[in-house]
Amino acid sequence: MPPPSDIVKVAIEWPGANAQLIEIDQKKPLSSIIREVCDGWSLSGSEQFALRYADGPQLYITEQSRSDIKNGTILRLAISPARAARQLLDRIQSHGIDARLEALKELAKLSADPTFAAEFINMEGIGTLARLVESGTHFGEMLAFTLTAFLELMDHGIVSWDLISLSFIKQIAGYVNQPMVDVSILQRSLAILESMVLNSHSLYHRVAQEITVGQLIGHLQVSNQEIQTYAIALINALFLKAPEDRRQEEHTHPLDQRLTEMASTLAQKHLRSIILNHVIRGNRPIKAEMAHQLYVLQVLTFNLLEERMMTKMDPSDQAQRDIIFELRRIAFDGENDASGTEKRKAVYTKDYKMLGFTNHVNPAMDFTQTPPGMLALDNMLYLAKLHQDTYIRIVLENSSREDKHECPFGRCAIELTRMLCEVLQVGELPNEGCNDYHPMFFTHDRAWEEFFCVCIQLLNKTWKEMRATAEDFNKVMQVVREQITRALAMKPSSLDQLKGKFRALSYSEILRLRQSERMSQDDFQSPPIIELRERIQPEILELIKQQRLNRLCEGSCFRKLGNRRRQEKFWFCRLSLNHKVLHYGDLDESPQGEVPFELLTDKIPVSDIKSVVTGKDCPHMKEKSALKQNKEVLELAFSILYDPDENLNFVAPNKYEYCIWTDGLCALLGREMASDLTRSDLDTLISMEMKLRLLDLENITIPEAPPPVPKEPSTYNFTYNYG
């Protein structure tokens, strides 16, 4: 007979004594359980003791967290959080250097525990640490442990960052600005400054006055990718929190700029080339966190376009109208023709029609829709000014046609700009956990405009290949969108590589790809083939089910979402080989390969699992409002609900892992696998199997007497590869 659900069997350790094997009654007060444990070792003053986990983060157990204790857990009797906080606070203020160092080392470890942190903070511990830093008398390991403890304590959100003094900020900024400083101190200093900026509007201004771009550029040129990541993270934080008017300011010398003026800085060749050459093209693989920070920088840079994207053209604004006049002049009048402005209105109307505007009389009206607003006009002027030959060729070769196949440049440029804003998500905040940066956008100072110039040439080429007319406009734009998204998915490292991808993705190639992808749907519609498909489907579904379960047995690593992404924490989960138990546990770093079961200290019997929920139904998505609003994280979230009223929460690293795990868990519970990945696999594998069987039928020779034994269904190893 299984034990009651409120009884947990554990082992409890105490230094110098044999472990106690006890049954914890979860209905009894925790203080009573601690008293019984102390009595077992003849320890008096049980109120001075507490229970902690012996493995992993070794967190204190409280009445709120005691429900997380599982059967077989090893616990440790320790001094209470309040007593530990008082002892450490006294020791870090002692005169003995060795004693102080050991105390700070222990404090740095304990500060991650929320129970201990609350006690230490209540004793004005953060103020004590801040004064130690401000004194400037701590160096090396002692300072590194001090900064680590400070950052861990502040991350609990108990104390407001607004209470931090200006002298503390100056001291931390001084460590960042020093030419030679210990790596661990530099990492923590950059992380503290980033947290200040992200958590306090007033501290943003103070930090921005202390740190310049030139000072951070030096940290991007080092060989330590962790330092580079922290530096870019600080740039991103300051950029994200900069007031809108300060982002757009121009200054004379970019390296002496304060980080409140980010727009002009990010456009400067020096900073961009440093990131390109020392980070993206460095001799080390880009880690996940660096990829995320590069993605954030890319998003924030493109978001500078949002104001122009959402600005309507004012048809009465002469300066804006002059830009349209300039487009007409470059295309039709030549550089030195001053008589263009005196042409009759009818001639202007004809020219605007040849330029491909929808409104021939007043083309300014074409730019009153947002998005793309004035951003489309900016792109067109950049093409006309910087790639004049290309601009003139596109306009003239279409304006001279009389077969209704002309490509309307103006209308296409406006719609293309709107499409590029959608594809690159201009104006949207960065997604937590997304690493989708494109190296080519770091290869040019005007990457957005150059990208547009390459894409408008693709559009013109595709229009000709399709022999399109005005009625085919939307069809052409759909093809061009597909060409662009397919090319971006291949992550070209430069604009030249992008052009090569576009050349390969011609209209005929898009048709071929579409036909190939539709084959499973379009080629097998006759009743006999449909019947064959229905007979094959259960066999293929079983193959997919086994593949999903095999992947769960191999296991996956998941990242714990926290306040400081650079100090990543991971956990691993895998299914037992007999499919009866889910094993999971915390890891210090992302694993390389499979994690042994013995390192995964927690487990859930599959028989206890009640259901699997996804998205907004997950408990951790309901609890965290910031994550709840993040669409991408929401789409990767799933939870296992198991007896008694417990849950194990996941955020998958990508959509593929999300589909593998949700499908695998459904298969484990005997439920339908319904992800897009399963549907795609099912169609692909059924098509492959049907082709093999139809090929066999073509080679059959009908015998004269008795028919052969029916052939066994073909089998193959399911090792389908996903890019």
Side-chain angles (χ1 to χ4, degrees):
M1 180 177 177
S5 59
D6 51 10
I7 299 297
V8 183
K9 295 181 178 181
V10 301
I12 302 180
E13 299 176 338
W14 175 253
N18 294 326
Q20 294 186 39
L21 302 179
I22 69 169
E23 293 184 352
I24 292 180
D25 185 349
Q26 295 285 35
K27 294 179 179 179
K28 292 178 62 175
L30 193 58
S31 58
S32 298
I33 296 171
I34 295 172
R35 187 183 308 113
E36 292 175 5
V37 172
C38 289
D39 290 344
W41 284 311
S42 301
L43 298 174
S44 59
S46 62
E47 67 278 359
Q48 297 294 317
F49 292 92
L51 291 176
R52 292 172 60 185
Y53 289 99
D55 301 316
Q58 300 181 6
L59 299 178
Y60 278 102
I61 294 169
T62 64
E63 289 288 356
Q64 292 72 34
S65 66
R66 62 184 296 179
S67 59
D68 295 332
I69 303 174
K70 305 293 187 298
N71 279 314
T73 301
I74 301 176
L75 306 180
R76 179 176 297 158
L77 186 67
I79 61 173
S80 68
R83 185 179 170 191
R86 172 53 60 194
Q87 289 181 359
L88 286 176
L89 192 59
D90 292 339
R91 287 164 59 195
I92 64 176
Q93 298 178 85
S94 66
H95 297 292
I97 294 179
D98 292 339
R100 193 185 310 171
L101 177 61
E102 285 302 314
L104 288 167
K105 184 176 182 180
E106 187 176 348
L107 177 63
K109 182 178 180 180
L110 274 175
S111 294
D113 188 305
T115 308
F116 170 84
E119 297 289 349
F120 190 80
I121 289 170
N122 286 338
M123 298 175 187
E124 304 296 330
I126 285 183
T128 301
L129 294 179
R131 287 190 293 273
L132 290 176
V133 174
E134 292 169 9
S135 69
T137 57
H138 284 57
F139 305 97
E141 274 191 310
M142 190 174 293
L143 179 58
F145 288 133
T146 303
L147 296 178
T148 300
F150 177 86
L151 193 53
E152 290 283 2
L153 291 166
M154 292 300 296
D155 266 354
H156 292 292
I158 300 172
V159 177
S160 171
W161 283 91
D162 289 319
L163 300 177
I164 303 303
S165 68
L166 181 58
S167 60
F168 182 86
I169 297 172
K170 288 181 176 292
Q171 192 68 37
I172 297 296
Y175 299 138
V176 172
N177 296 334
Q178 285 179 17
M180 297 293 293
V181 66
D182 183 80
V183 170
S184 57
I185 294 173
L186 180 58
Q187 282 184 347
R188 288 152 181 77
S189 298
L190 289 167
I192 289 172
L193 292 175
E194 182 199 2
S195 293
M196 288 179 183
V197 171
L198 293 176
N199 290 286
S200 170
H201 180 70
S202 61
L203 291 189
Y204 156 77
H205 292 284
R206 294 179 179 179
V207 173
Q209 292 301 314
E210 299 296 329
I211 303 292
T212 66
V213 178
Q215 290 160 340
L216 286 179
I217 278 183
H219 300 311
L220 298 177
Q221 295 173 287
V222 300
S223 59
N224 187 321
Q225 190 172 122
E226 297 299 320
I227 294 297
Q228 293 176 324
T229 304
Y230 279 89
I232 294 181
L234 178 54
I235 290 174
N236 286 337
L238 285 153
F239 192 9
L240 183 64
K241 295 298 181 179
E244 291 295 330
D245 57 333
R246 302 301 296 276
R247 293 187 194 177
Q248 305 293 344
E249 293 180 8
E250 295 289 335
H251 290 262
T252 55
H253 198 300
L255 300 187
D256 289 333
Q257 290 182 51
R258 301 297 170 184
L259 280 163
T260 47
E261 295 87 38
M262 290 301 304
S264 57
T265 300
L266 288 172
Q268 294 297 328
K269 182 176 181 179
H270 190 54
L271 177 59
R272 178 193 58 75
S273 64
I274 290 293
I275 293 175
L276 178 66
N277 295 321
H278 291 271
V279 178
I280 296 175
R281 293 178 179 171
N283 56 7
R284 298 167 307 283
I286 299 293
K287 295 181 180 179
E289 180 51 33
M290 174 60 84
H292 174 73
Q293 293 302 333
L294 292 172
Y295 154 77
V296 172
L297 184 58
Q298 172 185 290
V299 170
L300 295 178
T301 305
F302 284 148
N303 281 357
L304 293 171
L305 305 168
E306 183 180 14
E307 182 180 356
R308 295 293 284 174
M309 179 183 75
M310 300 307 296
T311 299
K312 296 181 179 181
M313 187 170 186
D314 182 0
S316 63
D317 189 317
Q318 187 59 43
Q320 295 180 3
R321 293 172 62 88
D322 286 344
I323 299 176
I324 298 178
F325 293 152
E326 181 68 2
L327 291 174
R328 192 204 64 80
R329 184 193 67 77
I330 293 173
F332 302 119
D333 290 350
E335 293 187 8
N336 300 316
D337 187 357
S339 63
T341 56
E342 300 175 0
K343 285 190 174 183
R344 292 178 292 108
K345 183 177 181 180
V347 177
Y348 276 111
T349 300
K350 179 183 176 182
D351 288 348
Y352 292 144
K353 182 178 180 180
M354 294 169 67
L355 274 171
F357 288 113
T358 302
N359 192 319
H360 308 151
V361 177
N362 185 9
M365 299 302 296
D366 285 16
F367 301 95
T368 56
Q369 183 178 357
T370 58
M374 288 295 291
L375 184 59
L377 188 58
D378 295 342
N379 286 341
M380 295 165 70
L381 183 63
Y382 181 90
L383 176 68
K385 290 279 193 180
L386 276 295
H387 299 274
Q388 194 168 111
D389 291 344
T390 299
Y391 168 70
I392 293 174
R393 175 179 57 79
I394 292 174
V395 172
L396 294 186
E397 76 177 17
N398 286 288
S399 62
S400 61
R401 301 187 65 154
E402 298 180 356
D403 56 1
K404 296 185 180 180
H405 291 291
E406 68 276 3
C407 176
F409 169 74
R411 183 184 177 191
C412 286
I414 293 170
E415 180 61 21
L416 177 64
T417 301
R418 186 191 65 78
M419 178 201 298
L420 296 183
C421 289
E422 288 182 358
V423 170
L424 296 176
Q425 300 180 326
V426 175
E428 296 186 16
L429 288 175
N431 283 317
E432 181 76 14
C434 182
N435 302 336
D436 190 25
Y437 80 98
H438 295 278
M440 70 175 181
F441 291 132
F442 292 86
T443 63
H444 201 284
D445 297 329
R446 303 293 294 273
W448 165 265
E449 292 86 349
E450 290 293 321
F451 183 51
F452 168 83
C453 293
V454 174
C455 290
I456 194 68
Q457 294 177 72
L458 169 72
L459 195 160
N460 186 60
K461 172 175 171 287
T462 302
W463 186 285
K464 290 188 290 185
E465 291 174 348
M466 294 178 67
R467 292 191 56 78
T469 64
E471 288 75 20
D472 302 315
F473 182 84
N474 290 333
K475 293 180 181 178
V476 175
M477 297 308 299
Q478 289 173 4
V479 173
V480 171
R481 187 188 187 104
E482 186 172 344
Q483 290 170 314
I484 291 172
T485 53
R486 285 182 183 270
L488 287 177
M490 292 183 263
K491 293 293 174 69
S493 60
S494 66
L495 290 165
D496 286 337
Q497 278 197 15
L498 177 69
K499 294 175 184 177
K501 303 296 183 187
F502 283 161
R503 283 193 293 270
L505 288 168
S506 62
Y507 175 53
S508 59
E509 176 64 10
I510 292 295
L511 289 180
R512 189 193 68 78
L513 291 169
R514 286 179 174 179
Q515 184 178 9
S516 175
E517 292 166 358
R518 286 198 307 261
M519 188 173 294
S520 61
Q521 301 172 5
D522 297 339
D523 288 356
F524 304 104
Q525 298 301 319
S526 64
I529 299 298
I530 292 174
E531 181 181 350
L532 177 59
R533 181 187 180 92
E534 290 175 351
R535 289 172 55 190
I536 292 173
Q537 182 164 316
E539 176 187 340
I540 301 300
L541 272 174
E542 184 61 28
L543 280 174
I544 295 173
K545 174 182 175 181
Q546 292 304 318
Q547 188 266 351
R548 300 296 192 260
L549 292 174
N550 288 342
R551 278 288 290 108
L552 264 61
C553 290
E554 294 172 9
S556 297
C557 180
F558 300 91
R559 184 171 53 81
K560 290 187 174 182
L561 296 181
N563 294 330
R564 281 196 324 287
R565 293 175 42 84
R566 260 74 51 217
Q567 295 186 2
E568 290 187 295
K569 296 181 179 179
F570 302 91
W571 67 286
F572 198 89
C573 187
R574 61 181 297 199
L575 178 65
S576 64
L577 300 181
N578 62 6
H579 299 177
K580 292 185 177 181
V581 179
L582 273 176
H583 297 264
Y584 65 97
D586 293 338
L587 301 175
D588 293 331
E589 58 184 18
S590 181
Q592 301 298 320
E594 196 173 89
V595 177
F597 287 111
E598 53 266 23
L599 295 182
L600 304 175
T601 56
D602 298 305
K603 58 185 178 181
I604 301 173
V606 172
S607 58
D608 286 352
I609 298 178
K610 295 188 291 187
S611 63
V612 177
V613 295
T614 61
K616 62 183 180 181
D617 295 326
C618 297
H620 56 317
M621 294 297 103
K622 295 176 181 177
E623 294 168 1
K624 298 181 181 294
S625 58
L627 291 178
K628 187 179 178 183
Q629 298 169 3
N630 190 314
K631 180 180 178 182
E632 181 145 341
V633 173
L634 202 63
E635 291 176 348
L636 298 177
F638 62 99
S639 297
I640 294 173
L641 307 183
Y642 62 98
D643 291 330
D645 298 325
E646 301 286 346
N647 55 74
L648 183 63
N649 299 317
F650 300 74
V651 175
N654 51 55
K655 193 66 176 178
Y656 171 70
E657 288 290 333
Y658 170 85
C659 293
I660 287 291
W661 273 85
T662 52
D663 279 346
L665 291 169
C666 287
L668 196 62
L669 300 177
R671 296 168 191 172
E672 181 183 0
M673 299 181 294
S675 75
D676 293 338
L677 182 62
T678 290
R679 286 192 289 269
S680 174
D681 284 348
L682 189 61
D683 288 341
T684 301
L685 293 171
I686 286 179
S687 296
M688 291 169 59
E689 179 67 11
M690 290 178 69
K691 287 177 183 177
L692 288 172
R693 296 194 182 194
L694 292 174
L695 186 62
D696 287 341
L697 287 174
E698 290 177 5
N699 296 325
I700 287 177
T701 301
I702 300 177
E704 306 239 341
V709 177
K711 187 177 179 180
E712 288 294 324
S714 63
T715 58
Y716 40 81
N717 291 328
F718 182 32
T719 56
Y720 199 67
N721 184 31
Y722 298 89

